[in-house]
């Protein structure tokens, strides 16, 4: 198979972790007889440095010409980086939101799975971690507070800021369908998370999700308020299969879910539209404090590349080979700093990539 992959190395640890993911992809190509062609794209801080803006038409057009995009991470240290002296719409994060919107990537899949080998790194009480967990957060990615009207102004001499949380039924229906489709391939449970005791947008969310559920009689649907969900994720994460939620709640809950897996450095993600195209990126940020020191954990990016093989290229066997290689390397005791525990073998970014590639 010939695949054209856009690559956004990005900022901070981005270039290092993407380099390792490409190493693993190249090994997959060699082992399974595929050809992966890469096209470098600029986004975020790297694009600001080159063009003064975090996202250009050129990047959007180039991304559209690819079958999938693999991304590291974007952004810098908000306190020290000159990117954050710019107005908000020209900062690195605006580029990421812009590309999500431009490519209509409304469905963000964030799996959180507790590896047997990483139980030690799990911050939960042993009786909770022993039950294990395997959930998938389906986060709506192109609506809600992130994209609603916002402004900051003075009203009668008082500084006032406003952000708008709005969803229409079409936006809710298409993400809900995605969640139910995925649940059918998993344990057939969807927990829809909202704040319907307070928000109108959540009350509509709940109604539309219930309408969609009628087409999936085999899937058990439950609803949960977001504050309760935050609590349940640390009390009893084993109860969750697919968590379906809006953009902002999904942002927050996915960080929490990833942390209970032991490290945010393990959590991959796929952002999909209604074609086979997807943007694949780790759920974590650019960790500028770790950049260039061979300390970052490349596993989330490598697992994101596995998601790309599965969702954009239909290469299930290859995706499984990557996931199995990750498990094997963990089993052998290799650990980057973020997942280190007693008896682990301290491993740098490059070596982690080498080891995973070698197991394919
Ligand atoms: C994420 C990130 C982004 C988000 C930031 C960088 C804009 O936190 O992908 O979770 O909030 O969506
Ligand atoms: Mg986030």
């Amino acid at each position: 198979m010939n695949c054209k992959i856009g690559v956004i190395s990005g900022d901070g640890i981005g270039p290092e972790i993407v380099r390792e993911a490409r190493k693993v992809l190249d090994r997959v190509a060699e082992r399974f007889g595929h050809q992966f062609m890469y096209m470098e794209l600029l986004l975020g801080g790297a694009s600001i440095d080159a063009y003064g803006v975090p996202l250009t038409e050129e990047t959007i057009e180039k991304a559209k010409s690819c079958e999938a995009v693999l991304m590291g991470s974007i952004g810098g240290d908000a306190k020290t980086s000159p990117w954050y002296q710019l107005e908000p719409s020209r900062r690195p994060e605006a580029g990421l939101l812009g590309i999500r919107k431009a490519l209509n990537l409304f469905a963000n899949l964030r799996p959180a799975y507790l590896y047997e080998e990483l139980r030690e790194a799990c911050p939960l009480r042993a009786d909770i971690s022993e039950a294990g967990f395997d959930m998938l957060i389906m986060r709506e990615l192109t609506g809600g507070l992130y994209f609603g009207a916002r402004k900051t102004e003075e009203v009668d001499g008082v500084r006032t800021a406003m952000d708008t949380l709005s969803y229409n039924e079409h936006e809710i229906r298409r993400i809900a369908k995605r969640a139910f489709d995925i649940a059918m391939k998993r344990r057939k449970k969807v927990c829809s998370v909202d704040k319907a005791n307070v928000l109108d947008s959540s009350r509509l969310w709940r109604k539309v999700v219930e309408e969609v559920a009628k087409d999936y009689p085999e899937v058990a649907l439950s609803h949960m308020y977001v504050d309760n969900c935050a609590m349940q994720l640390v009390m009893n994460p084993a109860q969750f299969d697919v968590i379906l939620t809006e953009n902002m709640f999904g942002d927050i809950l996915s960080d929490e879910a990833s942390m209970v897996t032991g490290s945010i450095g393990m959590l991959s993600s796929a952002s999909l539209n209604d074609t086979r195209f997807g943007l694949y990126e780790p759920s974590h940020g650019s960790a500028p404090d770790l950049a260039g020191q061979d300390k970052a954990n490349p596993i989330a990016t490598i697992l994101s590349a596995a998601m790309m093989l599965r969702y954009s290229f239909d290469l299930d066997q290859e995706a499984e080979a990557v996931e199995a290689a990750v498990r094997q390397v963990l089993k052998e005791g290799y650990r980057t700093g973020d997942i280190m525990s007693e008896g682990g073998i301290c491993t740098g970014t490059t070596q982690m990539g080498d080891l995973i590639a070698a197991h394919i």
Side-chain angles (χ1 to χ4, degrees):
M1 192 170 180
N2 285 333
C3 307
K4 196 167 157 199
I5 303 169
V7 176
I8 299 172
S9 293
D11 312 319
I13 57 170
E16 304 161 55
I17 54 182
V18 164
R19 186 191 63 218
E20 298 315 309
R22 275 180 63 165
K23 189 185 281 173
V24 171
L25 284 172
D26 287 341
R27 175 69 194 127
V28 166
E30 189 184 20
R31 162 96 162 60
F32 292 88
H34 302 300
Q35 268 207 317
F36 297 146
M37 279 155 322
Y38 303 102
M39 184 192 268
E40 296 280 349
L41 313 176
L42 290 181
L43 184 79
S47 174
I48 296 175
D49 289 346
Y51 300 114
V53 288
L55 173 64
T56 57
E57 260 321 301
E58 186 191 335
T59 288
I60 295 173
E61 287 315 311
K62 277 187 176 170
K64 282 183 178 163
S65 77
C66 296
E67 287 153 273
V69 172
L70 178 69
M71 183 179 134
S73 47
I74 53 106
D77 184 334
K79 281 202 199 93
T80 56
S81 162
W83 300 328
Y84 295 89
Q85 304 299 315
L86 300 166
E87 60 155 302
S89 67
R90 298 177 87 92
R91 292 179 194 164
E93 286 74 9
L96 179 58
L97 301 190
I99 200 167
R100 287 174 179 169
K101 194 71 172 178
L103 301 174
N104 194 29
L105 305 171
F106 64 87
N108 184 212
L109 282 62
R110 296 189 164 183
Y113 172 80
L114 183 62
Y115 283 85
E116 182 83 46
E117 294 74 24
L118 294 187
R119 291 241 158 111
E120 294 282 294
C122 172
L124 301 179
R125 244 184 15 231
D127 60 314
I128 302 174
S129 66
E130 257 149 38
F133 56 84
D134 176 4
M135 70 183 95
L136 184 128
I137 299 185
M138 177 67 82
R139 169 188 177 194
E140 200 291 327
L141 203 60
T142 52
L145 274 172
Y146 277 62
F147 294 94
R150 67 177 101 255
K151 66 177 172 198
T152 305
E153 59 185 350
E154 268 198 24
V155 180
D156 300 331
V158 180
R159 285 175 302 160
T160 307
M162 181 204 76
D163 300 278
T164 326
L165 169 45
S166 127
Y167 272 104
N168 69 41
E169 58 178 310
H170 304 304
E171 292 171 306
I172 302 169
R173 191 166 291 115
R174 65 181 182 179
I175 187 77
K177 278 190 181 155
R178 276 295 170 89
F180 281 93
D181 285 339
I182 289 258
M184 285 297 290
K185 295 189 187 152
R186 296 175 46 102
R187 302 195 305 281
K188 300 199 169 80
K189 282 186 355 185
V190 170
C191 178
S192 174
V193 172
D194 61 36
K195 189 69 186 171
N197 50 348
V198 178
L199 304 175
D200 262 21
S201 55
S202 284
R203 286 188 271 269
L204 179 63
W205 181 278
R206 210 174 255 229
K207 261 193 205 123
V208 175
V209 169
E210 277 176 0
E211 288 163 16
V212 172
K214 291 196 180 110
D215 294 331
Y216 298 84
E218 283 177 58
V219 177
L221 169 67
S222 59
H223 300 279
M224 194 178 274
Y225 295 140
V226 61
D227 46 351
N228 184 23
C229 184
M231 194 169 80
Q232 296 295 332
L233 277 173
V234 291
M235 256 173 48
N236 178 14
Q239 71 185 287
F240 295 110
D241 180 14
V242 175
I243 292 180
L244 163 64
T245 194
E246 65 92 44
N247 202 345
M248 178 82 158
F249 297 162
D251 179 45
I252 298 167
L253 295 176
S254 61
D255 265 28
E256 188 187 356
S258 68
M259 206 50 229
V260 297
T261 67
S263 165
I264 191 162
M266 298 295 298
L267 198 77
S268 56
S269 98
S271 303
L272 309 174
N273 58 25
D274 41 25
T275 70
R276 303 203 63 81
F277 181 89
L279 178 109
Y280 300 85
E281 54 168 322
S283 293
H284 60 71
S286 59
D289 53 319
L290 295 183
Q293 301 168 50
D294 199 42
K295 282 187 181 159
N297 183 352
I299 293 181
T301 316
I302 290 169
L303 292 173
S304 301
M307 289 183 94
M308 175 175 79
L309 295 172
R310 178 171 291 122
Y311 292 110
S312 284
F313 305 144
D314 249 334
L315 298 175
D316 283 353
Q317 206 192 338
E318 288 80 345
E320 275 156 30
V322 173
E323 289 159 356
V326 168
R327 259 194 312 274
Q328 188 55 33
V329 168
L330 293 174
K331 199 167 277 167
E332 289 168 11
Y334 297 100
R335 302 281 186 273
T336 44
D338 56 311
I339 49 174
M340 193 61 187
S341 56
E342 226 186 287
I345 310 163
C346 190
T347 310
T349 312
T350 313
Q351 194 194 357
M352 188 54 101
D354 286 343
L355 286 164
I356 295 169
H359 280 78
I360 289 170

